Amino acid sequence: ITDWATAPHDTGLVAACDDKGMVELWSERKSVAIVNAYERAACSSVRFHPTVAGVLATSSSNSSTKNSQVRLWNIDSGSESAFWDCAVDGVVDSMAIRGDGQLVSVSTHDGVVLLLDPRAGVGQNSSVVAKTAAIYAAGRPTRCIWLGDKPYLLSTGLSRMRERSAALWDQRNLGRPLGSLGLQASTKALIPLYDEDTQLAYLGEKGDNTVRWVDADPSSANPLAELGSFVVQSQISGCALMPKRSLRVMGGEIARVHVVVESGGAGTGSAVIPISHVAPRRSYLDFHADLFPDTRAPLPAQSFEQWVAQEPFTIPKVSLDPSRAVGSLESARRVFGAAGPAVPAQPAQPAQPAQPAQPAQPAQPAQPAQPAKPAQPAKPAQPAQPAKPPPSLPDAPIQRAMPTP
């Protein structure tokens, strides 16, 4: 397995790709689909579309031909062919889809970041809307992610001196980065993670034992300024962020990074270590709205047809306040249900009030005829049992006599 991803609209749906070009989907631990994405190349990345359910993006990696392909699939249509295909010069190291689903970014082994529009056309140059210069040393691993649905990117790579570095970019001006961060030398790139609610980025040092968190606000006076770090006791091989809706918000937990380490202890093999990032507060009795703004709802924002037609849309969001979380999620389902799977049918359930016809069951009150059972009160004759008190008299003196020894 070279990469895997979880669907943002269905946490039970997982996609994984391998070095033979195959992509397999699992739902509730059962294989539901297998896609032969690439016949003569490895599939290096797989991502779910952030706003449309059932759309999957893949990228190939062919080190022999130095060419790659980025494809989009509509897995809900049942088609075995990709509906969009873009050829890329160089070996693709990573791929990401902007939070609003409008653009796709890829970083290559040549140290270049490209921006692709999947609705612009098919072919090598028809979909490329922008690209950076060779910002990192060729032949070294690179990564890039979007800052949510904003027009900003965060990239990581290695310099010619093998120094790890990260850079923040504005997609409207890729001539120079808004900010950069340099770290110690290594042979592996940083793993970038981003929390769009707090505008913090987490940089996992693959092959090392540190996770740093930096200011990823593009409007900040010093973008990518280091704010802190976590240290684990073993080398990191991967990391990911826990979804916001699973955090302990009443405990001030603003993020949780799950780190995969090569050894969890003597003889234990690899392990997953959760690192909790808690914001300090005097009290955690109340919900802190300043720490937890409304976050993305696990619902698609638009249908596939609406996305292709480039229709305007709004990203659904829900409250993290425990007292409002359920109500806000139900409200979001009523508003955005049309883009999702058969959710709108639920509002029709109010028609069930027709069931009140069941009140005809009150005929059951005829059962009160059972009061005839009061004849059982004849059992009071059992009070004759109180005659047992006499035998209990000897017991009492025995208990009082026990303490004398």
Side-chain angles (χ1 to χ4, degrees):
I1 293 179
T2 54
D3 194 17
W4 64 278
T6 304
H9 316 121
D10 181 4
T11 54
L13 182 62
V14 178
C17 57
D18 60 23
D19 56 1
K20 296 183 179 179
M22 304 296 292
V23 177
E24 188 166 0
L25 284 83
W26 287 273
S27 180
E28 303 298 335
R29 299 185 180 182
K30 295 181 180 179
S31 177
V32 294
I34 298 178
V35 179
N36 186 8
Y38 305 98
E39 295 182 357
R40 297 181 179 84
C43 184
S44 57
S45 301
V46 60
R47 295 288 183 272
F48 282 96
H49 199 282
T51 63
V52 182
V55 173
L56 194 69
T58 62
S59 66
S60 67
S61 177
N62 194 329
S63 56
S64 60
T65 62
K66 303 297 182 181
N67 290 321
S68 302
Q69 287 180 313
V70 179
R71 292 174 176 173
L72 262 64
W73 312 76
N74 186 359
I75 56 179
D76 285 347
S77 67
S79 174
E80 297 182 357
S81 302
F83 68 84
W84 178 75
D85 189 340
C86 179
V88 176
D89 286 334
V91 178
V92 172
D93 286 334
S94 70
M95 173 189 61
I97 306 176
R98 201 170 71 182
D100 58 4
Q102 307 300 305
L103 295 175
V104 177
S105 65
V106 295
S107 64
T108 70
H109 220 53
D110 297 329
V112 177
V113 176
L114 296 91
L115 306 185
L116 314 174
D117 186 351
R119 295 171 297 186
V122 178
Q124 181 171 358
N125 296 317
S126 58
S127 300
V128 178
V129 296
K131 64 182 297 185
T132 66
I135 53 178
Y136 300 112
R140 309 271 167 78
T142 60
R143 296 195 181 228
C144 70
I145 59 172
W146 291 93
L147 301 190
D149 57 355
K150 303 180 183 68
Y152 301 99
L153 301 101
L154 176 61
S155 65
T156 63
L158 303 175
S159 67
R160 293 182 179 178
M161 301 301 293
R162 294 189 176 181
E163 294 177 343
R164 287 172 167 171
S165 64
L168 187 64
W169 304 85
D170 185 340
Q171 72 170 60
R172 297 159 294 190
N173 181 14
L174 297 178
R176 56 180 302 178
L178 299 175
S180 60
L181 174 68
L183 298 173
Q184 75 279 7
S186 177
T187 58
K188 299 179 180 179
L190 298 168
I191 303 174
L193 306 172
Y194 179 69
D195 179 8
E196 61 181 329
D197 293 342
T198 60
Q199 299 191 72
L200 295 176
Y202 298 84
L203 303 175
E205 299 184 0
K206 190 173 182 179
D208 208 333
N209 63 345
T210 305
V211 176
R212 305 175 189 274
W213 51 291
V214 300
D215 181 7
D217 184 358
S219 62
S220 174
N222 188 15
L224 296 187
E226 185 174 344
L227 303 176
S229 62
F230 310 98
V231 178
V232 295
Q233 296 182 354
S234 185
Q235 290 187 354
I236 297 172
S237 58
C239 57
L241 279 175
M242 171 70 77
K244 276 287 186 176
R245 294 179 298 110
S246 300
L247 300 180
R248 293 177 285 106
V249 296
M250 296 305 294
E253 185 181 35
I254 60 175
R256 190 185 308 165
V257 183
H258 281 88
V259 177
V260 181
V261 297
E262 296 183 1
S263 177
T268 60
S270 60
V272 177
I273 300 176
I275 300 176
S276 182
H277 187 182
V278 177
R281 285 291 187 271
R282 289 186 178 181
S283 172
Y284 296 103
L285 297 177
D286 300 321
F287 176 75
H288 295 279
D290 59 325
L291 294 179
F292 304 101
D294 289 353
T295 192
R296 280 178 177 257
L299 299 169
Q302 53 187 167
S303 65
F304 177 75
E305 292 74 19
Q306 291 171 336
W307 176 73
V308 172
Q310 302 189 32
E311 295 183 10
F313 66 96
T314 302
I315 296 177
K317 294 192 174 184
V318 294
S319 173
L320 291 174
D321 186 343
S323 64
R324 299 176 49 221
V326 176
S328 64
L329 178 58
E330 292 301 325
S331 177
R333 283 176 175 166
R334 288 192 294 269
V335 175
F336 295 92
V343 176
Q346 294 179 352
Q349 291 179 352
Q352 293 179 353
Q355 294 177 351
Q358 295 177 352
Q361 295 177 353
Q364 295 177 352
Q367 295 176 352
Q370 295 176 352
K373 292 181 178 179
Q376 295 177 351
K379 291 181 178 179
Q382 294 177 353
Q385 294 177 352
K388 290 182 178 180
S392 66
L393 293 174
D395 292 339
I398 292 174
Q399 291 178 355
R400 284 194 291 268
M402 289 177 64
T404 55

